[in-house]
Amino acid sequence: MGGDAGGGPGPLQEIVFRNFYTAFVSVRVQRARGPRRWLTCVRRRRLMASPHAEQGAQDYFSLPRHQMLCDVDQVTAVRFILRQPSPVWLHFTIEELQIFPPSQKSPPKDFPSWLSQLAPPQQPPGPHAELPDPEKVSAEAQQMWVLTEVIRARQAAARIGRFDVDGCYDVNLLSYT
Amino acid sequence: MVDAEGGLSLTIARVVQRLRGSSLHSQLERQARVSPGPAPALSTGFFYFTGWEKKLQNAVYSELNVFPSPCHPAAPPEHMKEPLAYMRKAQGSWEKRILKSLNSMCTELNIPLAQKRPASEQKELLNKWNEMGTDEPDLSLFRPVYAPKDFLEVLMNLRNPNYENGEQPSFRNHLGLIQVPLKVKDIPELKEDFSELGLNIGQLGIDDSAQVPPEFFENEHVRVGQKVLAEQDSAAAQQYVRQGCPTALRAELWALILNISNQPEDILYYEQLKSNVIQHNLLVDSLIYKDVKLTASNDDYYFVFEDYLYQVLLCFSRDTSVLEHFAYSSATPPKSYIRGKGELQKSFCFVGVIPFHGFSMYVAPLCFLYHEPSKLYQMFREMYVRFFFRLHSISSHPSGIVSLCLLFETLLQTHLPQLFYHLREIGAQPLRISFKWMVRAFSGYLATDQLLLLWDRILGYNSLEILAVLAAAVFAFRAVNLMEVTSLAAAEAVLADLSTLKVVPLLQIFLFATVT
């Protein structure tokens, strides 16, 4: 099962969609320049751990640019090929398909991008470890500190814990909505 | 799916946000201000020397264990509760049924759901807070909102509308009662997951029996346990209890794993809940009374703890912090309308959890370990929001009751096919008998020391799958007798009394010593 999406030529940053019982998805693109053939940019990405079982069947997935096999600048058409080898499902498709060009970030992440660049994993300290190098430690501490400052803008998770509303607490029926 | 780097950043941000509002954070700040030395006080060396690193590590570990990994940013919040739409719908209609039943009970008996107690009643309750069991209110008109078997009927009728549920028997239809195609583990996968239960590894429950000299395993295991407690490391404790907990250390080890420390703030919080109980009377209280009188009070092992059960459960039904777990549970708390001053109607969360028949049995075994009400309360609340809530809500989670039922039926069908077929033929579907064991996490069915050994493993593996494995192991153990029965009643009689069973040998034999 497949589907095409076309329009003016443009670069591709990320594809986001919600799965509905598709087991594998492949994506092919057609470029503005070059031969008019379809190039595979995502090959048989597994969406459901087992095609017969529910795991992953209704999850959200994203296919970012850096995981694609070919260059996705100047794309004129995108083709999705959906596979579901199991006979037990009545329908399978993908829903809420969104294709993002590089100008806007895909569903806005609420934290700054430098957070994604984590410090490289350190060597585990040897059996006779001394205190870690203070320069390295303070650099990491700075990162952590800025992170907590960013989160400071958020609401704290503390609860008041009172159960009444405006001092009165006469409840007669539960609502169904 | 969120890619690995993005996912890690999201997790860190979430954990930091949650810890920010906690008492640990204020303690750290206080300590940092008090200690001499240059700012920032967040350096690794500072933590290591003052022991706060361990506490922080434990808090982070606890957060990671409780909350599921962050969803895709595009996913709406109900997706974290339950990814499958038809299960959300089924849970919603089940909850509606419960609410209707509760509402009709209210209107029939003409009792409000909640009201403020008059001052004289408040004083009376405060006086007999420690002996509420002596009270004999008239509960004859109350009935439990639902029992496990009602819930089983709902699960049996759960269907995926996108699945070919033909009436004709085919490879698509499951032979058991659960017809939902969830992925469950088979024995090789379970052997890998529960590898610490293997035959060549020492276990409490087997290698501490009278015939085995304690030098072989028990003494060393107790020594290691004391060391883990001295280190105060949650992750190490969780690994340790997979082989069982020595009785003397169990209370502290479980508190360490669940990161419960009973600080003054926690005691104060409990006292606040107690005052809420004194001031307001909820209908749910009568349901709790009724449940305790029907179940725990009639149990030979637990009737002595009746007063403790009231003190814990009455507070639990008023605890707003329980509402947090609804972010990752498929359930939704019931809401009600109230007339605020000036405004016509405000909707608010009425209560966290509506108890069902047998709910108090989740608390009863903990009474053997903890005698201080505030610590007992916190342990129960943490156990509930980590594990027990999954046993009475419809979800696709691997530790959810639907998956446990399917796991039980699949294990039985794969490894005892003759028994399964025989029971099915006589109209005694095995799940009809084992469902009540799993919903209660075997509380009230096993002897208490065996039950605590089982709950050691639930904490150690952070999963409830062991309940389904034990249920299948029990059937395997009594297979010979079960093959001879000819009716559901007779099958239930064979499996009526589990109090003589030893849990750990059963699990070991079923997982590691059965020919597959």
Side-chain angles (χ1 to χ4, degrees):
Chain A
M1 176 173 164
D4 285 356
L12 210 63
Q13 177 67 24
E14 191 175 7
I15 302 175
V16 175
F17 59 88
R18 181 159 71 90
N19 188 14
F20 190 76
Y21 294 95
T22 303
F24 302 97
V25 69
S26 299
V27 181
R28 292 194 180 156
V29 294
Q30 206 174 42
R31 292 217 286 248
R33 283 189 292 271
R36 302 285 296 168
R37 60 187 175 86
W38 293 92
L39 298 162
T40 308
C41 67
V42 173
R43 179 168 309 170
R44 274 180 72 92
R45 166 70 54 87
R46 180 184 280 271
L47 302 178
M48 286 167 65
S50 160
H52 299 296
E54 300 261 11
Q55 193 184 352
Q58 296 190 23
D59 281 350
Y60 288 79
F61 291 92
S62 49
L63 305 172
R65 185 193 178 98
H66 63 80
Q67 288 177 6
M68 294 185 185
L69 296 171
C70 66
D71 179 25
V72 285
D73 293 325
Q74 301 300 312
V75 163
T76 48
V78 183
R79 179 175 278 174
F80 293 87
I81 300 163
L82 310 176
R83 289 190 178 87
Q84 176 48 275
S86 170
V88 303
W89 308 110
L90 296 174
H91 308 288
F92 65 96
T93 179
I94 57 178
E95 295 170 345
E96 297 179 30
L97 183 60
Q98 292 172 298
I99 301 181
F100 294 97
S103 51
Q104 73 198 77
K105 275 244 174 260
S106 71
K109 300 185 171 72
D110 297 358
F111 52 91
S113 57
W114 56 258
L115 207 49
S116 322
Q117 298 151 14
L118 297 164
Q122 288 180 324
Q123 296 296 327
H128 303 290
E130 297 129 2
L131 276 178
D133 171 33
E135 290 299 330
K136 230 187 295 182
V137 165
S138 67
E140 283 165 46
Q142 289 289 334
Q143 233 182 10
M144 284 297 280
W145 184 74
V146 179
L147 165 60
T148 54
E149 287 301 312
V150 166
I151 304 294
R152 189 197 282 269
R154 310 288 186 77
Q155 248 178 338
R159 294 190 155 270
I160 310 276
R162 265 203 300 280
F163 239 135
D164 55 15
V165 177
D166 289 348
C168 73
Y169 193 35
D170 255 329
V171 179
N172 284 319
L173 280 182
L174 293 171
S175 67
Y176 296 130
T177 47
Chain B
M1 281 299 151
V2 192
D3 61 80
E5 279 183 22
L8 186 54
S9 315
L10 273 172
T11 310
I12 294 177
R14 189 198 75 216
V15 172
V16 168
Q17 186 186 5
R18 281 192 58 81
L19 289 182
R20 183 124 196 127
S22 75
S23 61
L24 177 64
H25 181 250
S26 34
Q27 283 169 20
L28 280 169
E29 270 190 350
R30 214 180 304 141
Q31 192 70 22
R33 278 192 225 113
V34 162
S35 312
L42 285 168
S43 72
T44 319
F46 168 77
F47 276 144
Y48 182 75
F49 283 130
T50 54
W52 287 101
E53 182 197 14
K54 262 281 133 56
K55 291 207 171 89
L56 192 60
Q57 226 172 27
N58 289 347
V60 172
Y61 189 69
S62 171
E63 289 299 325
L64 289 174
N65 266 341
V66 171
F67 268 80
S69 39
C71 279
H72 195 275
E78 63 251 19
H79 196 264
M80 177 150 89
K81 288 163 74 77
E82 170 51 55
L84 300 178
Y86 73 93
M87 286 217 179
R88 287 200 294 264
K89 207 159 149 219
Q91 172 69 17
S93 16
W94 168 239
E95 281 170 1
K96 220 168 175 172
R97 254 175 74 180
I98 298 177
L99 294 188
K100 276 202 172 112
S101 165
L102 201 55
N103 272 346
S104 64
M105 201 191 303
C106 279
T107 38
E108 251 175 54
L109 304 176
N110 206 18
I111 298 175
L113 278 170
Q115 64 183 14
K116 210 169 161 74
R117 279 190 227 268
S120 56
E121 206 184 305
Q122 287 189 26
K123 208 159 136 221
E124 204 189 310
L125 186 56
L126 189 57
N127 284 341
K128 60 172 176 45
W129 176 257
N130 288 326
E131 22 167 78
M132 280 188 274
T134 54
D135 208 14
E136 290 282 345
D138 179 20
L139 299 168
S140 52
L141 294 169
F142 290 99
R143 46 181 196 278
V145 183
Y146 66 97
K149 62 175 168 12
D150 305 316
F151 191 47
L152 179 59
E153 294 294 319
V154 174
L155 296 185
M156 276 164 52
N157 292 324
L158 198 55
R159 294 284 185 278
N160 182 347
N162 195 35
Y163 192 78
E164 286 229 44
N165 295 306
E167 286 312 314
Q168 299 299 321
S170 77
F171 68 91
R172 296 179 184 94
N173 295 4
H174 298 195
L175 288 173
L177 292 177
I178 304 293
Q179 297 292 330
V180 171
L182 293 172
K183 181 101 177 61
V184 290
K185 298 186 175 141
D186 55 5
I187 285 209
E189 284 172 314
L190 289 168
K191 267 196 211 180
E192 221 182 280
D193 281 352
F194 295 118
S195 55
E196 288 86 353
L197 286 173
L199 293 168
N200 54 342
I201 299 179
Q203 308 288 335
L204 285 183
I206 300 177
D207 299 294
D208 56 338
S209 70
Q211 294 94 14
V212 179
E215 303 87 61
F216 279 177
F217 169 71
E218 198 180 349
N219 287 349
E220 182 57 30
H221 193 63
V222 172
R223 249 196 303 274
V224 173
Q226 284 161 342
K227 199 153 174 236
V228 168
L229 275 177
E231 286 291 308
Q232 285 289 301
D233 186 335
S234 290
Q238 190 165 335
Q239 182 66 28
Y240 173 78
V241 304
R242 292 181 181 184
Q243 290 171 265
C245 249
T247 318
L249 305 177
R250 181 173 278 130
E252 287 176 43
L253 278 166
W254 281 21
L256 179 56
I257 295 174
L258 297 179
N259 207 31
I260 304 281
S261 49
N262 211 26
Q263 302 288 322
E265 301 94 71
D266 305 313
I267 301 178
L268 196 62
Y269 188 76
Y270 176 74
E271 291 298 319
Q272 195 184 335
L273 288 174
K274 181 175 158 186
S275 70
N276 283 350
V277 175
I278 307 274
Q279 282 173 9
H280 295 113
N281 185 17
L282 299 182
L283 175 69
V284 171
D285 293 350
S286 309
L287 296 176
I288 291 172
Y289 268 109
K290 181 100 186 177
D291 183 50
V292 172
K293 293 279 183 214
L294 283 177
T295 55
S297 301
N298 287 334
D299 191 298
D300 293 336
Y301 296 110
Y302 300 122
F303 72 92
V304 287
F305 300 122
E306 193 180 337
D307 299 322
Y308 278 125
L309 295 177
Y310 295 125
Q311 292 176 22
V312 166
L313 286 168
L314 291 179
C315 292
F316 181 71
S317 61
R318 289 158 172 79
D319 192 350
T320 47
S321 68
V322 172
L323 296 175
E324 284 173 14
H325 92 281
F326 286 110
Y328 53 87
S329 161
S330 59
T332 316
K335 288 197 173 62
S336 179
Y337 289 112
I338 194 169
R339 282 179 202 279
K341 293 198 186 84
E343 256 187 60
L344 203 44
Q345 274 183 337
K346 275 188 204 177
S347 161
F348 78 114
C349 285
F350 163 62
V351 76
V353 179
I354 296 186
F356 56 90
H357 179 66
F359 190 82
S360 51
M361 296 305 282
Y362 289 143
V363 192
L366 296 172
C367 298
F368 277 107
L369 300 173
Y370 305 100
H371 304 296
E372 211 209 288
S374 89
K375 192 149 189 198
L376 174 63
Y377 175 75
Q378 283 179 74
M379 287 298 296
F380 166 64
R381 181 182 59 186
E382 194 60 29
M383 293 277 287
Y384 181 82
V385 300
R386 277 201 201 202
F387 304 113
F388 296 147
F389 77 94
R390 298 201 192 276
L391 294 173
H392 63 92
S393 52
I394 304 176
S395 100
S396 61
H397 194 271
S399 271
I401 189 68
V402 186
S403 302
L404 294 183
C405 291
L406 191 58
L407 176 61
F408 163 73
E409 291 188 319
T410 312
L411 284 176
L412 209 58
Q413 204 177 326
T414 317
H415 298 285
L416 295 155
Q418 262 191 320
L419 176 64
F420 191 90
Y421 183 73
H422 169 74
L423 287 172
R424 201 170 165 260
E425 286 296 291
I426 60 171
Q429 278 272 8
L431 187 60
R432 285 196 190 278
I433 305 172
S434 65
F435 186 72
K436 54 188 185 290
W437 304 338
M438 291 193 285
V439 165
R440 280 204 204 166
F442 282 89
S443 172
Y445 296 104
L446 295 174
T448 45
D449 59 331
Q450 298 301 311
L451 181 73
L452 293 172
L453 286 170
L454 178 68
W455 286 18
D456 283 341
R457 270 71 180 195
I458 292 181
L459 283 166
Y461 292 102
N462 201 32
S463 135
L464 293 165
E465 286 161 331
I466 198 105
L467 296 176
V469 178
L470 179 61
V474 170
F475 271 73
F477 185 60
R478 301 228 169 129
V480 172
N481 291 1
L482 285 169
M483 285 300 289
E484 290 170 14
V485 300
T486 51
S487 71
L488 175 60
E492 286 191 341
V494 168
L495 293 165
D497 183 14
L498 306 183
S499 55
T500 51
L501 293 182
K502 301 269 177 267
V503 159
V504 189
L506 280 180
L507 288 169
Q508 259 197 352
I509 293 172
F510 188 76
L511 284 175
F512 295 96
T514 310
V515 175
T516 47

